[in-house]
Amino acid sequence: EKCQETGIQGREDGIVNLLHYEDAAAACLAALSVGSGVTSGQTYLISDGHPTTRRGICESALKHEKYASFELPKFLGGVEGPRGKIYDGSMSDDALQWKPMYRSFDEFMSS
């Protein structure tokens, strides 16, 4: 509701990598399960593998019944500056033998 009144800071095409909190917890458990032989001294990058934009987050949210009556907010950022980074966590997924339960934020909001 507040976003409708004030708008969203940043550019609407800004890239955001997301991960549902249940998937984050499952990735941690997967790291514990595979053991220190795999994880010792390693850093893992975990994401759902489907980066989206700020606008994409809002469009996906509108698919949920809780937000269906809302409209897209105004984005206050321009087009200058970096858009963000797209992460590839596939090596982490393979090493931990893990996949997210929710393939993307859009899939989660549509369910």
Side-chain angles (χ1 to χ4, degrees):
E1 295 170 5
K2 187 175 181 181
C3 292
Q4 294 293 319
E5 298 168 16
T6 62
I8 302 283
Q9 295 296 322
R11 49 192 293 174
E12 69 181 271
D13 64 344
I15 301 292
V16 181
N17 294 273
L18 300 171
L19 184 66
H20 191 277
Y21 67 93
E22 290 176 3
D23 286 331
C28 290
L29 291 174
L32 293 171
S33 295
V34 297
S36 62
V38 174
T39 60
S40 182
Q42 299 297 313
T43 301
Y44 294 100
L45 177 66
I46 306 296
S47 73
D48 68 12
H50 291 88
T52 187
T53 62
R54 287 182 183 92
R55 181 182 181 92
I57 291 170
C58 294
E59 290 172 340
S60 294
L62 294 176
K63 295 177 181 180
H64 191 277
E65 64 184 42
K66 182 175 181 177
Y67 305 106
S69 65
F70 287 72
E71 295 181 9
L72 278 176
K74 180 179 179 182
F75 292 88
L76 306 175
V79 294
E80 292 79 32
R83 287 186 58 211
K85 295 181 181 180
I86 295 176
Y87 300 142
D88 179 359
S90 59
M91 288 178 57
S92 298
D93 298 352
D94 293 343
L96 301 179
Q97 301 169 19
W98 172 86
K99 293 286 179 209
M101 178 174 28
Y102 299 104
R103 288 180 1 110
S104 67
F105 181 71
D106 188 67
E107 180 181 286
F108 169 70
M109 292 306 285
S110 298
S111 62

